Amino acid sequence: MVDDLKIEIAIEPPFEFKEKVTYPFEYYGLFFSPEFNKSGDVISYSGKKENLYVKMISGKLLVMNSWHKFQQGNNYSDFTWKNLQDCLQNLAKIFGEGFWEARITKLTTSVNLHYDATGVIDNLISYKGSPMEPMRPRNSSKAYGKRFATTHYNIKVYDKSFQVNKEDRISILPTIRIEKEMKLPYFQKRRKNPIKIYTPSDLLNPVSFDYLAFELFEVIWSLGFKYGIDPMKVHDFHDATVVVFMGDPDYRKVLKKKSNYRTYKGHERRYEELRNEFRIQDCNEILNILLEDKIIQLRPVEVAQKAM
């Protein structure tokens, strides 16, 4: 469930950094090249390890990109708790003991669910009542996913099989991917449900798995879908207004703000009844069940044994 991270590793800058050399040099087994400003002055050094991008600035290394892809070679496979532990050990071999106490500033929790994403994406309209934007590849009008961005986090729900085929020309099983990219300082300070993950060493603790799993469930619970109920086919004018107002995130927000509490809750309750009556597929429930099953496959062995 761990994917894209950004960490800051405290280091004693090497001689080459202190002297601002203008040629590549080796450090931690990586080759770092100078980066210049418009005046031609060296401002930092950067290097790569597999898919990881490493930037050296005063007193620290910034390590970015997908740990899942670093360890597995892709990020469309499952990334189990055991895989994460192996990844941590491999990264510690590269960056030394300072890696364990590095500061995590960004963390993405994600999951790949084997399911045809088309219907889910087409009907997905909102996150916590706010409209989501379409995700499109370059030079294409096809929306293969939806995203929602705020100051502290980004949400993405998209067709992973489409993306992999488009970018790598590889065919995989139908897969829908859910991502929550978090700027951790905000989530660590939340009054409710803070995430107590500060350093890579915290990811050795099985409880970190539960923190990240909760965030994925929270995403699913907060997604809003249109359910294709035709207002012309309902019983009366009241039901038609329920379908129109509750099926659109903007209209729903207006109703919640402008009407009284009892009116809004009555519309919400009737909308659920109509969905059941018209046998409309509940995407939230489907994704929730898929995630529950996937969590069982990914979770730490010791936690899974306690649950048995």
Side-chain angles (χ1 to χ4, degrees):
M1 292 193 302
V2 169
D3 190 32
D4 190 55
L5 286 92
K6 181 177 180 179
I7 64 174
E8 299 178 356
I9 305 174
I11 62 168
E12 174 61 32
F15 167 83
E16 291 86 353
F17 181 90
K18 295 176 181 178
E19 294 297 317
K20 302 298 181 186
V21 300
T22 58
Y23 52 83
F25 62 90
E26 185 177 359
Y27 187 64
Y28 278 112
L30 284 70
F31 284 95
F32 286 86
S33 299
E35 297 178 328
F36 304 89
N37 61 18
K38 293 181 180 180
S39 300
D41 301 318
V42 176
I43 55 173
S44 61
Y45 296 87
S46 64
K48 288 194 70 176
K49 181 65 176 180
E50 306 298 338
N51 67 299
L52 299 180
Y53 174 70
V54 185
K55 190 179 185 75
M56 183 187 298
I57 60 177
S58 183
K60 57 188 174 184
L61 290 179
L62 306 181
V63 184
M64 295 162 270
N65 274 349
S66 170
W67 287 11
H68 185 166
K69 195 168 185 178
F70 168 79
Q71 183 67 22
Q72 305 286 94
N74 66 73
N75 68 347
Y76 54 78
S77 60
D78 287 339
F79 195 53
T80 67
W81 174 261
K82 176 62 167 59
N83 295 147
L84 172 60
Q85 303 310 301
D86 293 341
C87 178
L88 289 167
Q89 297 299 330
N90 289 333
L91 289 170
K93 290 177 182 177
I94 297 171
F95 297 108
E97 289 302 310
F99 164 78
W100 295 110
E101 298 307 316
R103 177 172 174 253
I104 302 176
T105 58
K106 186 188 79 171
L107 189 157
T108 299
T109 179
S110 60
V111 68
N112 298 313
L113 305 174
H114 293 314
Y115 190 75
D116 187 351
T118 305
V120 176
I121 301 304
D122 289 346
N123 291 312
L124 177 58
I125 55 177
S126 65
Y127 178 75
K128 292 187 175 180
S130 297
M132 300 182 77
E133 297 180 351
M135 295 172 58
R136 293 186 174 92
R138 292 181 180 179
N139 304 319
S140 176
S141 61
K142 177 179 173 59
Y144 70 98
K146 300 287 178 64
R147 62 185 165 205
F148 177 78
T150 71
T151 303
H152 302 298
Y153 62 91
N154 297 317
I155 304 296
K156 293 181 180 179
V157 181
Y158 60 97
D159 186 339
K160 188 64 178 177
S161 48
F162 174 87
Q163 184 203 46
V164 171
N165 184 267
K166 185 76 174 178
E167 295 180 358
D168 302 324
R169 297 291 185 265
I170 297 174
S171 295
I172 63 173
L173 291 173
T175 302
I176 186 167
R177 182 174 174 87
I178 300 172
E179 295 181 2
K180 187 170 189 175
E181 177 189 283
M182 301 172 285
K183 294 182 179 178
L184 274 190
Y186 167 78
F187 284 86
Q188 290 159 345
K189 294 178 181 178
R190 268 191 320 196
R191 293 182 62 186
K192 293 183 178 180
N193 303 312
I195 293 181
K196 298 179 181 179
I197 300 175
Y198 302 91
T199 68
S201 62
D202 294 324
L203 293 171
L204 296 172
N205 189 337
V207 73
S208 66
F209 182 92
D210 295 323
Y211 289 135
L212 301 178
F214 172 82
E215 296 300 326
L216 289 172
F217 278 113
E218 196 269 347
V219 170
I220 289 174
W221 302 331
S222 302
L223 296 176
F225 295 89
K226 63 180 180 182
Y227 289 100
I229 303 176
D230 186 348
M232 297 298 292
K233 294 183 179 180
V234 297
H235 304 285
D236 51 35
F237 179 73
H238 176 266
D239 283 353
T241 61
V242 168
V243 169
V244 170
F245 275 94
M246 300 305 291
D248 182 281
D250 292 329
Y251 287 172
R252 183 189 287 244
K253 288 171 70 174
V254 170
L255 182 69
K256 190 172 186 179
K257 184 176 181 180
K258 300 294 184 180
S259 70
N260 60 50
Y261 177 79
R262 292 180 63 185
T263 298
Y264 178 79
K265 296 305 291 185
H267 275 57
E268 187 177 55
R269 181 171 56 254
R270 182 56 183 157
Y271 190 56
E272 292 302 311
E273 292 173 353
L274 288 170
R275 282 173 50 190
N276 292 330
E277 181 178 333
F278 283 85
R279 298 181 180 179
I280 301 300
Q281 191 177 52
D282 190 330
C283 294
N284 300 91
E285 182 179 358
I286 290 171
L287 293 176
N288 194 76
I289 292 172
L290 290 171
L291 180 56
E292 287 178 347
D293 292 341
K294 183 64 69 173
I295 290 299
I296 293 173
Q297 300 173 35
L298 302 179
R299 72 185 320 128
V301 174
E302 55 267 40
V303 176
Q305 289 176 340
K306 290 180 181 178
M308 294 177 64

